[in-house]
Amino acid sequence: MELNGRVAVVTGGTRGVGAGIARAFLRAGAHVVVCARRPPEVPLTGAEFVPLDLRDPAAVGEFFAGVVARHGRLDALVNNAGGTPYRPLSEGECADAAARHARVIELNLIAPLTASLAAHEHLRAARGSIVMIGSVSGGRPSPGTAAYGAAKAGIESLARSMAVEWAPEVRVNTLVLGMVRTELSHLHYGDEEGIAAVGRTVPLGRLAEPSEIGDAAVFLASRRAAYVSGASLLVHGGGERPAFLDAATVNTVNTVNTVNTVNTVNTDKEK
């Protein structure tokens, strides 16, 4: 298996996308350490769990030192922890709103930076890699989750700079995710009918599975990606169909005219 003997840390690896990534690394033969503020509701068989608040730099440094002390090395860090509730920018009083959005940026941008800095020397010793978990929200307008989108845009920029500063010992890449089906999908998309309807807006016709994100992360952490650094790998099922294509009338009119022309020709032939 391609990651036999390797040690990987997956932040926020207790559920959803993070759990899918952790399971993929386990299948690839890695020893996996997952961290989050709370233990998983469903234990990840084969993975080691350590409670950690990624917003506490001292605790983060101690966490990575402990991983290396127990396992002798650190080969991969997947900065997966993050997320945000839906919240319009101007909702609430200005000071409260600003503080809420700052916390979103802290979790989704500053925490991955903190973890990467704490892991850097350990990864450098093993010539390891970092995988950032980005989002299509970082490359398009994100109404209702604007601070999250800004943080994810920052993650890609941060990863590209890290890839240059820390080369050649540490590779750094970003997975840019679209919509993923998890145990929390109903909170975002509704019931099964709603999830299916949202999936139909994706060119591949469905949401991604966490295991598919995990497979992409394993690739970036493996020797098969030895010459890949500073890259953003889109894992979004083909992206989003531009809304203007469905709003425009020109193609509809042309289609109708073409049909009418064909019908006229066929009628003439019948005469």
Side-chain angles (χ1 to χ4, degrees):
M1 293 171 22
E2 54 199 318
L3 296 182
N4 273 347
R6 306 287 186 88
V7 177
V9 166
V10 181
T11 70
T14 57
R15 66 181 183 182
V17 171
I21 293 171
R23 291 188 180 102
F25 272 79
L26 287 168
R27 289 194 300 272
H31 181 89
V32 178
V33 181
V34 299
C35 61
R37 283 181 292 172
R38 292 178 292 274
E41 294 180 5
V42 179
L44 287 170
T45 303
E48 175 186 349
F49 169 74
V50 178
L52 178 66
D53 186 344
L54 288 161
R55 297 168 299 180
D56 182 343
V60 172
E62 292 174 5
F63 165 77
F64 282 103
V67 169
V68 174
R70 290 192 302 278
H71 304 293
R73 58 189 297 147
L74 176 64
D75 298 278
L77 165 63
V78 182
N79 278 310
N80 165 78
T84 185
Y86 178 87
R87 184 171 286 129
L89 278 171
S90 57
E91 182 180 277
E93 296 296 325
C94 178
D96 292 339
R100 285 196 302 268
H101 295 307
R103 287 194 293 271
V104 170
I105 293 173
E106 181 183 24
L107 176 61
N108 291 280
L109 178 58
I110 304 303
L113 172 59
T114 300
S116 299
L117 290 170
H120 174 232
E121 285 303 316
H122 307 302
L123 291 168
R124 186 170 178 268
R127 297 187 76 88
S129 72
I130 295 172
V131 179
M132 299 289 198
I133 301 301
S135 169
V136 294
S137 296
R140 58 156 171 74
S142 298
T145 57
Y148 175 80
K152 289 302 186 181
I155 276 288
E156 285 193 71
S157 178
L158 176 63
R160 288 191 291 269
S161 295
M162 282 181 174
V164 174
E165 287 197 27
W166 293 354
E169 294 87 1
V170 180
R171 293 184 300 107
V172 187
N173 294 289
T174 305
L175 288 180
V176 182
L177 308 188
M179 294 177 289
V180 185
R181 182 178 182 128
T182 72
E183 60 267 41
L184 299 180
S185 291
H186 65 282
L187 298 179
H188 303 282
Y189 313 124
D191 58 13
E192 286 298 317
E193 183 178 345
I195 292 171
V198 171
R200 288 192 291 272
T201 69
V202 179
L204 288 187
R206 62 178 178 83
L207 276 60
E209 295 294 331
S211 61
E212 294 172 310
I213 308 305
D215 290 340
V218 166
F219 164 70
L220 289 179
S222 74
R223 292 188 181 91
R224 289 181 293 160
Y227 200 66
V228 180
S229 194
S232 294
L233 177 60
L234 298 173
V235 188
H236 60 7
E240 300 174 350
R241 178 178 171 82
F244 78 85
L245 292 176
D246 296 320
T249 59
V250 61
N251 290 330
T252 303
V253 172
N254 286 342
T255 299
V256 171
N257 289 339
T258 300
V259 171
N260 289 338
T261 300
V262 171
N263 287 340
T264 300
V265 171
N266 287 341
T267 301
D268 289 343
K269 285 180 178 178
E270 290 170 2
K271 292 178 180 178

